[in-house]
Amino acid sequence: MSFLDHLEELRWHLIRSVMAVVIIGSAAFLMKDFIFDTIIFGPKKMDFPTYRLFCEIATVLGFESAFCAEKLPFTIQSRLMSGQFSAHIWTSIWAGFIVGFPYVLYEMWKFISPGLYEKERKNSRGFILIASFLFFLGVLFGYYVVAPLSINFLGTYQVSAEVTNEFDLASFISTVRTSVIACGILFELPIVIYFLTKVGLVTPELMRKYRKIALVVVLILSAVITPPDVTSQIIVAIPVLILYQISIFISARVMKNEAKREARERKRNKDVGPKK
């Protein structure tokens, strides 16, 4: 295929991906009460599962905790004429992307896979399933851990009793969305390392060598997507560090398989050589 043919092929894959996001987003648009009252504003209610869990832990340990409060001391408001309508549309689009992520990934894979060797395609079986699983795992972690921790901390933080927390609707939704999407992407680390190892850009030795630097980077990323307290950063950093260790194992496995493949090829070429 020529370069323009490749662009045409990519265009149709992108069109189908966008159509899937729009269709799912349209369904989400019609489910306004569930999307906002149950999902988006769920972490604002003190009966949210995360708050109940942390409250029970604090009670068992004999500590007083903000997670045991009756309600969070802030209100949400919309100060723009089109604020609520715009929030409804964009939230529906993001919901369409999150739910439709496996299909979007499938379309991208259909565009890339013809450029791979048959053996590479076989070795990459299950890629969409594993990548989607990791993404949704990250989304759930972001929604049930990062988002409520951020909302609880920032919603209860006050520099003075004279100041009342009244958050804009777009700001609240952005906090939830950023926590969810960022964690979904972070949890794709093993997939990224797998392909970087396949192309020779990353090795397990390199990852072990720069483990301390990776730890610092993970803590910085944790600080970006969480409230500025040590506990939240550690809670976010732990699963990412576990994923980093898993990525080292995956990288080592890929290198081992590549070494075996090269050994088999050398042996086969050696056996074929004398016959010629």
Side-chain angles (χ1 to χ4, degrees):
M1 295 177 65
S2 66
F3 177 72
L4 292 179
D5 290 334
H6 279 295
L7 287 181
E8 179 67 14
E9 187 73 14
L10 176 61
R11 185 172 75 92
W12 281 107
H13 285 297
L14 292 175
I15 288 175
R16 286 191 289 269
S17 299
V18 171
M19 287 178 61
V21 171
V22 170
I23 292 172
I24 300 173
S26 299
F29 187 85
L30 298 176
M31 301 169 63
K32 179 179 67 175
D33 293 341
F34 175 75
I35 293 295
F36 282 90
D37 294 338
T38 303
I39 302 297
I40 299 297
F41 297 134
K44 183 181 181 297
K45 304 170 184 175
M46 292 310 298
D47 60 350
F48 194 69
T50 305
Y51 299 146
R52 293 204 306 267
L53 175 63
F54 278 94
C55 178
E56 290 175 1
I57 294 174
T59 302
V60 171
L61 297 176
F63 297 140
E64 292 185 4
S65 174
F67 295 109
C68 298
E70 293 183 2
K71 66 177 183 178
L72 289 171
F74 67 85
T75 58
I76 300 175
Q77 60 180 344
S78 178
R79 294 177 295 174
L80 298 176
M81 184 68 73
S82 60
Q84 296 195 53
F85 183 68
S86 297
H88 190 187
I89 291 178
W90 281 107
T91 300
S92 300
I93 292 174
W94 281 108
F97 171 76
I98 292 172
V99 176
F101 179 80
Y103 182 78
V104 174
L105 200 62
Y106 169 73
E107 287 294 339
M108 295 300 100
W109 180 250
K110 281 184 65 178
F111 175 73
I112 296 171
S113 60
L116 302 176
Y117 293 109
E118 181 64 26
K119 192 168 185 178
E120 290 176 330
R121 284 197 292 269
K122 289 182 179 179
N123 291 334
S124 300
R125 286 177 180 173
F127 160 72
I128 296 175
L129 181 63
I130 296 173
S132 299
F133 171 76
L134 290 173
F135 178 77
F136 286 126
L137 188 64
V139 166
L140 291 174
F141 181 79
Y143 180 71
Y144 283 103
V145 178
V146 180
L149 286 177
S150 301
I151 291 170
N152 186 275
F153 177 83
L154 298 174
T156 58
Y157 187 83
Q158 284 185 297
V159 294
S160 171
E162 299 295 325
V163 182
T164 303
N165 283 331
E166 296 179 350
F167 301 133
D168 189 72
L169 175 63
S171 176
F172 182 87
I173 294 176
S174 175
T175 300
V176 177
R177 182 183 65 240
T178 302
S179 301
V180 168
I181 299 294
C183 287
I185 294 174
L186 279 176
F187 272 58
E188 295 291 336
L189 179 62
I191 299 294
V192 175
I193 294 299
Y194 173 82
F195 284 103
L196 290 178
T197 304
K198 290 288 288 185
V199 299
L201 294 178
V202 172
T203 63
E205 292 77 17
L206 183 68
M207 295 184 69
R208 293 189 186 100
K209 180 180 178 181
Y210 293 102
R211 195 196 309 264
K212 293 181 180 179
I213 297 178
L215 173 61
V216 174
V217 173
V218 167
L219 291 175
I220 292 174
L221 289 174
S222 302
V224 170
I225 65 176
T226 59
D229 67 283
V230 177
T231 303
S232 300
Q233 293 175 19
I234 292 175
I235 290 175
V236 175
I238 287 175
V240 178
L241 290 175
I242 292 174
L243 288 172
Y244 187 84
Q245 290 300 124
I246 294 174
S247 299
I248 293 177
F249 172 78
I250 291 174
S251 180
R253 188 73 178 178
V254 171
M255 294 291 290
K256 184 178 180 180
N257 291 338
E258 287 293 317
K260 288 182 178 179
R261 182 183 62 80
E262 292 176 359
R264 286 196 300 269
E265 288 182 356
R266 285 196 298 268
K267 183 179 178 181
R268 185 168 57 250
N269 294 334
K270 184 178 180 180
D271 293 340
V272 173
K275 293 181 181 179
K276 291 183 178 181

